[in-house]
Each structure stands twice: as C-alpha cells, then as structure tokens.
Amino acid sequence: MSVRTDFATVEVPNDSRVQKNENNMEREKKRLLHYLRQERKRGGDEEFGRRIKTIQKLSQFSHGQSNPTYKLLVEMTDGTLKSYVLRKKPGGNILSSAHAVEREFQVQLALKRKHPNFPVPRMILLCEDSSILGTPFYIMDFVQGTIYLQPKLPVITREERKTRIYENMAKTLGALHSFDIRELGLTSFGNISSGNYSRRTLKRWFGQYEKSITNKLVETPEKEVVMKLVAWLDANCPKDGEEVSDRIIHGDYRLDNLIYDERSDDVLAVLDWELSTVGCPHADVAYNCLPYYLPPGLEFYPSFGDSNQVPAGVPTEKQYCNIWAQHARLPNICGSSKWKFYVALSMFRGMAILAGVRARAVAGNASSRNARQAGSLVEVFAKRAYVVVVQGGASKVPRQEIKGGYEPSEKCMMFLEKLRAFMSEHVYDAEEVFERHATTNERWSVHPLMEELKKKAKAKGLWNLWLPLDSAALIKITNARGNDEALYKGPGLTNLEYAHLAREMGKVPWASEIFNCSAPDTGNMEVLLRYGTKEQQERWLLPLLMGDIRSCFAMTEPAVASSDATNIESSIAKSTNGTQYVVNGRKWWTSGACDPRCAIAIFMGKTKKTGPQHEQQSMVLVPMLNNHKVKVVRPLLVFGYDDAPHGHAEVIFDNVVVDVKESLLAREGAGFAIAQGRLGPGRLHHCMRLVGMAERSLDVTYARVKSRVAFGKPLSENSNVLNVLGNCRVEVDGARLLTLYAAHVLDQLGIKDSRARSAVAACKISAPNVACSVIDRCIQLFGGEGVSQDSPLARLYAGARTLRIADGPDEVHLETVAKIDLRRSKL
Ligand SMILES: Cc1cc2nc3c(=O)[nH]c(=O)nc-3n(C[C@H](O)[C@H](O)[C@H](O)COP(=O)(O)OP(=O)(O)OC[C@H]3O[C@@H](n4cnc5c(N)ncnc54)[C@H](O)[C@@H]3O)c2cc1C
C-alpha cells in the first residue's frame, strides 16, 4: 500500500493515516491564527505569520506518529492556498525527554540551513508556549509525494524502480551520516559525555524496560530471554573509542518515514526525527535493516519476512549497506560480529519501546488493542534478537536430536547438519532468484546459479545422497574417464538415512537437483543400475551420476488410462533384420523432457501385442538431444505452473530408430516389472519431500499467526487456529513416521517383499494427502497472501497435489495395501 501525502488525493480507501474528522478544531484554528498574526517568530520563517490571511483547515494525520501531526491549509494574503504541517507534543503526563518536538525542529532546521539539498522539509516556526495549543509545536512545509508502507514495495511492479527506491533510501542515510556535527552546530545535541552511544542506549532502554514491567498486571513471557539478551549485549558492547559515535542519527529511519517523488523515485523528505540524536551511524543503519530480520506480518514493523523473500529489485542487506557505506564514507560492517551487535541492539530498543506501550495499555493509558499487539510483539522482538543474533541465525539454532527408532543415525546426522547448513547458506537465499527466473522469457534455460550450486554441493560431498550401497554395488562402469568415484557412488546411505535428508530438501521445490537427488533422474538412474548393461551405464548412467545431463521417463499416454501400465499402447517394433527398434507413440507428463540438458528418455511401449498382459511391454533408451524424430509438443501446466526449465511435456516419438543392443533395458517383455521396481525408493523420496513441504508450510505459518493481529489479538491466540495447527502437527508426524517405517522395511526386506510394498504404498497415500491438506490449511491462515506468489504456499500446494496422481493415483495404492492385507488374512 502506498499513501500520497496530499490527502486531498488519498488513493487508498479507508486509509488509517489520515483522519478526515475535523470536528472540534475550530477553537485551535482561531488560537493558532491569532498567535501567528500577533507574534514575530524566531528561528524559522519570521515573516510567515504576516502573510497568512486565514486558516482554512486543520486536520490530523494518524499514521505512526507518536507526536500528533496535522495538515494545515492556509489562505495567504495574496489569495493563494498553501499547505503546511503542524507537529506537536502529545498532551498528558509524558517523560520530559520524550516527544521533544523542539529537538526535531532544531535538527531539521540545522540540516536544511547547512545542507539545503538534504531532504528535510523547510522549518517555518517553533512555538514553545504551551498556552496556544496545549503543548509546544512547530510548523514546517508540507511535502507532497508518496510514502511506501511495505518494505516489499508490492505497489511497484518494475524491479529497477524498487532498486532505485532502496538505493535512494541508503544514499540519503549515508549522506546524513557523513555530515560533521560541528559544522551543523549540533555538538550538544546528544549526551556524548555519558559513555559511548551503544552503552548509553543499552542503559537507557534497559532502564525503560525495567520500569515497564514493574506493574504486576503486566505479563512478561519474554523476561528470561530479555535477560539473556541484555547479558549478551552487555558483554559484546563496543568499548569507548571502538565505535564511531559522533554523527547525527535519525533513530527511526525506515521506509515509511520517507516521502518519495513518484516519478524520479528521489527522496523528497525524511520525517519523524523524534528519536534523532548524536550517536553511532552503524547502529542507525542496522535499525534501518530490521526488515531483513523481522518475521513477516508485523503490523508495527513490516518486514521482508524471511531473507529469502526479499523481492526482485530490492538489494540484499549487504548490497544495501554497501551503498550506505559509500555515501557515509564509513566502513561497511554488515555481516560481521559487530554488525550482529547493532542489529540486536536495534531489536532490543524496539522491544523496550513496545514494552512501554504494553505497560501504558495495561495501566489504561492506551487501547487494549495496542496492548495486545504490543504485548505479543515484545516477545517476538526479544526472541528474534536472541535467536538471530546471539545464536547466529534462525536456521542455525542447535537442536538436540532424538536418538534411536527411526531417528537419524550418526552418519545421517553428519550429512543432515551439512545439508541444513548448505540450505541456509545457499538455497533459501536463492529461492527468489529462481522464482524470478521462472517468470522471465529465459525460463526454459537453466539459470547459471543452479550449476554453481551443484559444484558447491559436490565440493561438500553432498552428492548422490539417494544412492544406497546395494544400488551403488550395481555400477559396472570401468571407463570413468577421470570422474571421481567417491562422488558418483555417493556416500552409501540407507533409504532410512536418506529419507531424513529428502525431507530437508523438500522444503524448497527445486533443491533436490542441487544434490543430484531429483526425480525423475533418481528413478531413471536406479533403472540403469539395475537393468543397464555396462555400455549403457557408461554412456548414460555416468553423466547422470555426475549431474552432467538430465533424463526423462516416458510412460504415460494421453490416449489411455495410464495408471494401469498394461494399457500403454506406444509401439516398439523390431526391424526385419532384428537389429533396430522403431519407436512410435504420443506421451504426456514426461517430466523433464523440456530441460535443455535432457539427453536421454526411458521409453515404455509394447514389443508384443499378444501373450500375457504383463509381458507385452518393454523399455528402451531413446537419445533426446538433437533428435529430430522426437517432438516436444508443449509443456503441460500444473495449476498454471509450467515448472520451467524442467517442464512436464507432451512428446511425440515419430518413427524413432534405435539400436536394439544399445537401447533395450533388461529383456523384451520386462517393461512392466521395471516400472514396478523403479518406483519403490522413488516413491519414498517423494513422500519425505512432501513431509518437508508440509513442515515448511507450517514454519512460515507459525511466524505469520504469531505476528498477524486480527480483531485485537494475534491469530495464534484463537483457539480454533491452535486446533488447526495441532491437527496439522499430528498428521505431519503420522506421515513422517509412516514414511520412515517404509524406508526401514525397504532397507531390511527389499521391494519384492509384500510388507515393503504395502508400507511404501501406505506412505504414498498418506504423505501427499497430508501435505495437501496441511498446506491448504496454512493457505487459509495466511489469507490472500497464501494463494499469491508472495508466499511459498501456492507453489508447494501445486506440487503436493500432483503427487496424489503422479507415480500412481491414491486409489491404486489403496488397492495394493488392501490386497496384500487380504492375502495375508487367508493364511
Ligand atoms: C506433475 C506430474 C508429473 C508426472 N510425471 C510423469 C513422468 O515423468 N513420466 C510418466 O510416464 N508419467 C508422469 N506422470 C503421469 C502420472 O504417472 C499419471 O498421470 C498417473 O499414473 C495416472 O495416470 P492417468 O493420468 O492416465 O490417469 P488414469 O489412469 O486415467 O486415472 C484417472 C483416475 O482414475 C482413478 N483410478 C485409476 N485406477 C483406479 C482404480 N484401480 N480404482 C479406482 N480408481 C482408479 C483415479 O482417481 C485416477 O486419478 C506425471 C503426472 C503428473 C501430474
């Protein structure tokens, strides 16, 4: 949402920034007019009062300002109408140091005088006489422009504009921090003598926090974590002389305190100087960067949510700080341990301010809505500061793992930790890049970042994690041409061990590819391992294991019900001399066929039209690159997603000729059996990824419901929301355990054992259904954003829903489970 500051043309209906109610202002208007006309003013535009004929309007803005702020519309003596802004201290009992409008006036006046190009409104006059309007006030020019309330800039569609808006915000703050306080005449503006800025700030706001919790009626669930946080801040506070602390700092520098020119995206004015002082510029820019750290959905402090949700065009935190540093002519410490301190200090200050609001609300000096909002935010801020900064990042919180049962083995744990670290370091941050790429005309090409990430994963040994020892033992390759055997054979994890890793990868839809663990390649590699000759393995399996090519599996046909593989009608006809096959058929849902790296298809068709039904099909290898007999007709869309560059294609195989020896897998008539075997571990992989998808959805939803306030309280305080979340957890854990059990049984007995087949079928029913239902409920709790591209939920849902159909629909797996049970019951 954006707001035009000229509220005669407010664009947003029901916008809370502007109260249009001008009742009871007549008395103030009269007094003000009298004062302006009678007095000769000092310090600003001394002639201002003389030029005023009458005050037409005085009406209050209501967004965010703790100092009441009014728009003043006046008729000048020459007949023109002019707008100004009047800002005053609030009435009632307030701390003497708080709401100091005099200081706001002083700093802006000094800035405008010394640096006329710095964007602050022109100061007109300051009135310290409380008898006029009840408290001191000042008047400044009204700046017409646009204020953006949301850091994600949802109203701006062009990426380069988002970049410009952020660059200009950083430049403006940098410029402020480059000014010399002596030149500005503001050396006494801050309390420099009482220690360095950070120590002062910590002391001041800890004192405020302690005062705010003296009332026994105030609930303080955050207290323990606040104490730990304060201890950490105290221990890590820069010593005197260690920090720059002689600059003017704004104290509340955030996007929604800036007015922009909508055409040039220049900053026209920086508002709300209430917390400005002389202090540490690094602390000021760290506060400015809080949207990179705070959870999504905070009404008071809007953020990007997770850092991976920083929208296209908006710089990363590091890039942003670089721009700032260049203009401030100060070092960029973003990412260092000092930086963590300043981020934590900023959150701590925010927490203490909110604790004050909570205390005032409990004491009856603020609305109960504010009290609840502030109350829940105090905890969010304190915990976020502690987790993000003290423990080194939300995703790196050490967790004690449960041992035994189906929980990760020590070997698995080692890979799990590496994988989690890799995901936090590289994958979540890249989500936005791939999402953006998927919306461009280049989306059918592979983003270079994918290959870069693959290289990094290889270097960390996070490669072919899906490949169990017994499958790796089937590798017949002798001509490995300098390829690293440890890499293509993988680390030899069991299905159970890999299941834990697949769950982690499932949290980001395209992550498995980075570790060479994605469908349909894993299933196809399994087929080549089990049924491929040495030559076939060397030609196709090796580059697949090394991630140099990709593959597809062409079984399903539009013309027949393909959940019953005996229906497949494509033909694989032998040439008269018996050395070649001629392959014909129309396939669809051939996942991966659109990928420019897709070099090989495993094609299923009939080599015989008579004989036992399960013996008529065979599988052959069909080269895909530059094969003009293979036509990719179109990518099919899943609820509008084309999954580029991978794609689910409709493909025509038109008289494709392949060599029998080179292409046939196993033997003629083995197609049905291969299809069954191919999908055992592959189904498990899907199931664990689905569990990961459901868990990711819950994770983003937890953050959302804690911070999103409706009808006076966070969503998480509604019992029906807790009910929904509780049920989701029960169901996700059920699906997870069923899948781990299936992996365990598969490891022990192999897919030929009916107990393993039943267990795999059971989790193939449970996991996609649970994931769909959980993600659907998360979408509901998210509201509109849940179905949009701004949350990961819509894409996750689309992916989960397909898996109730792909690799066999639910009904077919239910039949398998029931038939095996019935057979057992006969014994
Ligand atoms: C995103 C996606 C990716 C895919 N990737 C591939 C791929 O890479 N390669 C490939 O070959 N295929 C792929 N498929 C195809 C998938 O495997 C088939 O869609 C699936 O096997 C069902 O076949 P069908 O679509 O022909 O449905 P049909 O066989 O026509 O079945 C339709 C419906 O009938 C019902 N039904 C079927 N059998 C029974 C029964 N015994 N009892 C009761 N009801 C029943 C079910 O509700 C089923 O959904 C993919 C599908 C999707 C959606």
Side-chain angles (χ1 to χ4, degrees):
M1 182 169 76
S2 70
V3 176
R4 296 273 289 278
T5 56
D6 176 356
F7 62 124
T9 55
V10 164
E11 291 181 323
V12 186
N14 304 320
D15 174 39
S16 65
R17 288 176 71 101
V18 179
Q19 289 177 358
K20 297 185 182 90
N21 180 358
E22 288 149 29
N23 296 339
N24 308 324
M25 288 286 183
E26 285 311 315
R27 210 174 45 157
E28 282 79 4
K29 273 162 53 176
K30 267 189 202 145
R31 280 200 193 153
L32 183 61
L33 185 62
H34 179 74
Y35 166 78
L36 293 174
R37 283 209 184 128
Q38 299 302 310
E39 304 276 324
R40 242 181 102 78
K41 309 300 165 318
R42 284 181 300 110
D45 177 351
E46 294 177 10
E47 298 301 309
F48 176 69
R50 297 222 181 123
R51 295 199 305 273
I52 290 184
K53 189 168 162 199
T54 176
I55 295 177
Q56 298 259 347
K57 260 187 189 174
L58 187 61
S59 40
Q60 190 174 2
F61 292 93
S62 71
H63 168 77
Q65 292 93 352
S66 52
N67 286 334
T69 308
Y70 303 82
K71 186 174 180 192
L72 182 65
L73 184 68
V74 298
E75 188 183 345
M76 309 307 278
T77 44
D78 63 4
T80 54
L81 283 178
K82 288 212 165 157
S83 295
Y84 296 91
V85 172
L86 183 151
R87 200 159 146 84
K88 70 192 278 288
K89 271 191 190 190
N93 288 337
I94 52 169
L95 289 173
S96 58
S97 61
H99 307 280
V101 291
E102 302 87 342
R103 285 171 60 82
E104 288 189 19
F105 183 83
Q106 187 191 358
V107 71
Q108 291 176 88
L109 186 67
L111 284 166
K112 198 79 203 165
R113 278 189 176 155
K114 206 73 211 161
H115 300 280
N117 292 332
F118 186 79
V120 280
R122 190 173 62 104
M123 296 294 108
I124 307 289
L125 64 89
L126 169 70
C127 169
E128 292 172 280
D129 179 352
S130 297
S131 70
I132 314 298
L133 292 180
T135 58
F137 67 90
Y138 68 95
I139 295 176
M140 59 186 152
D141 268 352
F142 175 83
V143 179
Q144 189 165 330
T146 300
I147 296 175
Y148 301 106
L149 302 185
Q150 296 295 332
K152 286 185 176 180
L153 295 173
V155 287
I156 306 287
T157 49
R158 284 182 18 233
E159 285 176 25
E160 67 270 21
R161 282 202 60 206
K162 290 191 187 187
T163 311
R164 231 174 12 242
I165 288 169
Y166 272 82
E167 276 175 3
N168 288 336
M169 175 160 69
K171 282 179 190 171
T172 305
L173 187 63
L176 175 70
H177 293 157
S178 71
F179 298 153
D180 184 331
I181 51 170
R182 284 164 293 271
E183 267 184 33
L184 288 167
L186 291 173
T187 39
S188 57
F189 194 60
N191 184 11
I192 304 178
S193 57
S194 62
N196 70 21
Y197 171 79
S198 295
R199 180 69 58 205
R200 237 160 61 213
T201 305
L202 185 57
K203 205 168 140 199
R204 174 179 175 200
W205 290 106
F206 184 54
Q208 296 279 358
Y209 173 72
E210 281 194 309
K211 264 190 223 151
S212 79
I213 58 170
T214 46
N215 182 342
K216 291 221 163 33
L217 294 175
V218 175
E219 287 176 31
T220 57
E222 77 291 345
K223 196 169 167 194
E224 197 184 327
V225 81
V226 169
M227 293 306 160
K228 283 191 202 162
L229 180 63
V230 169
W232 188 91
L233 287 167
D234 188 46
N236 289 279
C237 192
K239 315 235 168 347
D240 285 349
E242 270 182 11
E243 71 179 7
V244 183
S245 54
D246 62 347
R247 308 296 161 97
I248 292 297
I249 63 169
H250 180 274
D252 193 15
Y253 192 80
R254 36 195 267 186
L255 185 67
D256 61 346
N257 274 332
L258 305 184
I259 297 178
Y260 279 91
D261 180 330
E262 226 178 327
R263 285 199 205 128
S264 64
D265 294 323
D266 287 340
V267 177
L268 297 176
V270 180
L271 308 174
D272 211 347
W273 292 80
E274 192 187 338
L275 294 169
S276 61
T277 185
V278 172
C280 173
H282 287 111
D284 214 20
V285 69
Y287 175 87
N288 184 211
C289 286
L290 285 190
Y292 292 96
Y293 290 88
L294 294 171
L298 302 182
E299 204 176 314
F300 286 163
Y301 286 85
S303 72
F304 297 124
D306 297 330
S307 62
N308 49 43
Q309 289 178 7
V310 174
V314 174
T316 62
E317 185 194 25
K318 210 160 205 160
Q319 290 165 340
Y320 182 81
C321 290
N322 260 333
I323 304 167
W324 164 83
Q326 276 165 21
H327 289 80
R329 282 176 253 130
L330 288 166
N332 177 8
I333 60 164
C334 175
S336 68
S337 53
K338 273 192 198 160
W339 179 250
K340 277 186 192 176
F341 171 84
Y342 289 119
V343 172
L345 187 68
S346 298
M347 285 199 209
F348 174 71
R349 192 167 62 105
M351 184 281 305
I353 293 171
L354 290 165
V357 177
R358 175 180 66 183
R360 286 199 297 282
V362 172
N365 298 334
S367 74
S368 67
R369 180 169 182 271
N370 271 348
R372 280 178 189 270
Q373 280 186 4
S376 68
L377 281 179
V378 171
E379 200 182 350
V380 170
F381 264 65
K383 284 192 172 158
R384 197 73 173 184
Y386 191 68
V387 167
V388 169
V389 185
V390 180
Q391 292 182 336
S395 51
K396 293 183 194 153
V397 182
R399 267 170 59 133
Q400 200 186 345
E401 296 288 338
I402 305 159
K403 301 242 163 66
Y406 304 130
E407 297 307 321
S409 66
E410 254 175 51
K411 180 176 178 186
C412 172
M413 206 55 220
M414 200 183 81
F415 281 96
L416 195 53
E417 275 170 8
K418 261 206 238 178
L419 180 66
R420 282 182 181 150
F422 192 97
M423 296 278 292
S424 323
E425 210 175 321
H426 305 293
V427 180
Y428 292 110
D429 280 348
E431 251 182 311
E432 168 66 24
V433 177
F434 287 109
E435 279 295 332
R436 200 183 324 149
H437 183 64
T439 61
T440 66
N441 291 336
E442 301 297 302
R443 68 187 186 282
W444 293 105
S445 66
V446 181
H447 195 288
L449 183 59
M450 176 53 80
E451 295 303 324
E452 254 177 61
L453 290 175
K454 279 164 68 176
K455 261 192 216 151
K456 285 193 173 128
K458 276 184 185 172
K460 296 256 175 218
L462 293 169
W463 194 253
N464 285 331
L465 302 166
W466 63 277
L467 184 59
L469 271 183
D470 56 346
S471 298
L474 299 172
I475 296 179
K476 303 177 188 110
I477 297 164
T478 53
N479 176 15
R481 292 184 295 274
N483 285 305
D484 183 349
E485 188 174 324
L487 216 50
Y488 68 72
K489 287 199 167 167
L493 298 168
T494 62
N495 282 305
L496 178 58
E497 286 170 328
Y498 175 63
H500 291 285
L501 306 177
R503 170 184 167 203
E504 214 56 38
M505 295 176 201
K507 294 180 180 174
V508 176
W510 40 265
S512 309
E513 187 187 338
I514 298 170
F515 312 102
N516 215 34
C517 290
S518 53
D521 294 331
T522 47
N524 293 341
M525 288 191 265
E526 188 77 42
V527 169
L528 285 162
L529 281 162
R530 298 203 175 273
Y531 308 102
T533 62
K534 179 172 171 294
E535 289 70 32
Q536 287 168 336
Q537 286 195 357
E538 280 176 349
R539 182 164 177 204
W540 303 114
L541 178 62
L542 182 62
L544 277 171
L545 284 169
M546 291 308 295
D548 296 335
I549 61 167
R550 297 212 61 189
S551 62
C552 61
F553 183 72
M555 185 181 90
T556 305
E557 295 173 6
V560 295
S562 304
S563 50
D564 175 359
T566 62
N567 280 341
I568 297 304
E569 290 200 328
S570 293
S571 78
I572 305 176
K574 213 174 229 167
S575 61
T576 39
N577 66 5
T579 59
Q580 290 178 318
Y581 287 124
V582 181
V583 175
N584 275 294
R586 181 185 283 265
K587 300 286 185 180
W588 74 346
W589 292 110
T590 309
S591 299
C594 306
D595 193 309
R597 298 161 301 175
C598 180
I600 186 71
I602 296 180
F603 181 95
M604 181 157 166
K606 280 189 173 165
T607 35
K608 269 200 281 181
K609 300 234 159 143
T610 54
Q613 260 195 332
H614 297 95
E615 293 286 328
Q616 296 177 7
Q617 297 81 14
S618 302
M619 284 200 193
V620 291
L621 296 169
V622 177
M624 294 287 282
L625 291 178
N626 305 317
N627 189 339
H628 304 301
K629 299 284 184 176
V630 181
K631 290 187 197 93
V632 174
V633 179
R634 58 174 177 151
L636 294 158
L637 304 184
V638 174
F639 297 138
Y641 292 104
D642 58 20
D643 284 348
H646 185 61
H648 309 284
E650 182 169 343
V651 190
I652 295 173
F653 293 80
D654 182 14
N655 284 318
V656 187
V657 178
V658 290
D659 182 88
V660 170
K661 235 170 104 193
E662 284 176 10
S663 66
L664 181 66
L665 287 166
R667 56 178 173 81
E668 281 187 11
F672 189 84
I674 298 174
Q676 294 302 300
R678 177 184 182 275
L679 294 173
R683 283 180 184 143
L684 278 179
H685 303 170
H686 274 316
C687 291
M688 277 317 268
R689 284 193 288 260
L690 284 158
V691 170
M693 287 154 81
E695 288 184 332
R696 171 96 194 271
S697 307
L698 282 173
D699 283 346
V700 293
T701 306
Y702 294 145
R704 176 78 165 192
V705 296
K706 275 196 223 169
S707 56
R708 189 85 164 169
V709 174
F711 301 101
K713 58 183 178 182
L715 291 175
S716 59
E717 286 181 16
N718 289 289
S719 60
N720 51 356
V721 171
L722 294 175
N723 231 304
V724 168
L725 293 176
N727 276 317
C728 287
R729 170 51 59 207
V730 172
E731 290 167 35
V732 171
D733 278 355
R736 182 172 61 85
L737 289 169
L738 209 51
T739 310
L740 292 173
Y741 169 73
H744 177 64
V745 177
L746 190 67
D747 283 331
Q748 305 275 309
L749 307 175
I751 194 65
K752 288 196 178 137
D753 192 288
S754 64
R755 285 166 291 174
R757 284 208 308 282
S758 170
V760 170
C763 68
K764 175 64 177 63
I765 299 153
S766 163
N769 277 285
V770 164
C772 282
S773 151
V774 165
I775 300 169
D776 181 54
R777 280 173 278 175
C778 290
I779 288 175
Q780 189 66 20
L781 289 176
F782 247 77
E785 192 176 323
V787 288
S788 78
Q789 72 275 36
D790 282 0
S791 88
L793 297 173
R795 188 181 277 279
L796 288 172
Y797 182 82
R801 185 62 185 82
T802 63
L803 284 160
R804 288 193 52 207
I805 299 168
D807 280 2
D810 291 353
E811 294 83 349
V812 173
H813 295 295
L814 279 165
E815 264 188 29
T816 304
V817 173
K819 277 182 185 163
I820 290 171
D821 268 8
L822 285 170
R823 265 206 303 276
R824 269 195 218 136
S825 74
K826 277 193 215 153
L827 298 173

